[in-house]
Amino acid sequence: MTTVKDRVSLTTQPSRIDEAGNAWIVHNPRFGDEGTHFHTYGLLTPYFKNLAEGQLLGTKCVNAHCPIARGEGELWLPPRSDCPDCHQPMIWQRVENPRGYIYAYTHVERGGTGLEIECPYYQIDVKMEGVGTILKSYLVDRRAIRIGDRVRARFRTGADATHTCLDLYWELE
């Protein structure tokens, strides 16, 4: 049976969101009103909107003239708005049933200033089939892990959504 102490919790508050056209402007209330950090997600806004809805999106290059992708690029996570090889816009693609394995990890026992994840926790690099990049995130489970352990994506949604990358987390399968 899993208990609360077996799982990591966040020490953050949800961010306030303003919209400017199709882009989110995030108000991160990290240090009270005087320390609110304003950040725009710009062309990457769909990624964060979908995290808050429990969906994972990546991007890929479909430019036939790209010297690397040649119209059939791999999926990128985290997403890029433009291809790093041909500088053309990437397209969005949903990752169905996101699962992978732990490629590398760090056990964080004491976090620095501004860390919004309760310590101790595992910061993990996740390799997913069909994705050309390795995604860094965190594991919600606190039990001992090994490289190669299988994980599945989970999401903070609705009132629990922070509207940040913390809305995506992983748990052991």
Side-chain angles (χ1 to χ4, degrees):
M1 183 166 122
T2 303
T3 67
V4 173
K5 290 187 181 236
D6 295 333
R7 297 177 64 84
V8 173
S9 62
L10 297 183
T11 59
T12 189
Q13 306 170 36
S15 299
R16 195 177 100 222
I17 302 293
D18 290 334
E19 292 197 43
N22 292 328
W24 273 4
I25 300 169
V26 181
H27 302 242
N28 260 334
R30 290 185 174 153
F31 305 106
D33 290 337
E34 299 83 35
T36 297
H37 172 72
F38 297 90
H39 179 75
T40 180
Y41 289 144
L43 295 174
L44 298 179
T45 297
Y47 177 72
F48 294 96
K49 280 184 178 180
N50 277 271
L51 288 182
E53 295 170 3
Q55 299 176 23
L56 186 58
L57 292 182
T59 54
K60 69 181 196 173
C61 180
V62 294
N63 176 14
H65 302 290
C66 179
I68 305 300
R70 293 181 171 76
E72 298 181 18
E74 293 182 296
L75 203 57
W76 285 68
L77 281 169
R80 308 322 193 252
S81 57
D82 296 317
C83 175
D85 301 310
C86 69
H87 311 291
Q88 295 301 305
M90 305 265 260
I91 65 161
W92 291 98
Q93 180 176 315
R94 185 173 173 187
V95 179
E96 299 293 335
N97 197 20
R99 287 177 151 72
Y101 67 89
I102 297 173
Y103 184 82
Y105 67 88
T106 300
H107 188 245
V108 180
E109 293 199 18
R110 182 174 180 266
T113 301
L115 180 67
E116 298 171 306
I117 304 172
E118 178 187 62
C119 290
Y121 75 98
Y122 289 105
Q123 181 180 41
I124 61 172
D125 294 348
V126 178
K127 178 66 180 142
M128 292 179 279
E129 188 174 323
V131 177
T133 53
I134 295 172
L135 182 64
K136 185 171 289 300
S137 189
Y138 67 102
L139 186 68
V140 74
D141 301 285
R142 284 204 163 119
R143 61 182 189 248
I145 62 173
R146 296 184 326 231
I147 291 174
D149 283 349
R150 304 288 303 169
V151 291
R152 66 178 162 254
R154 292 293 185 242
F155 304 91
R156 297 188 187 288
T157 60
D160 291 332
T162 66
H163 307 296
T164 69
C165 61
L166 296 175
D167 288 343
L168 169 65
Y169 63 93
W170 298 82
E171 67 181 16
L172 293 167
E173 286 195 326

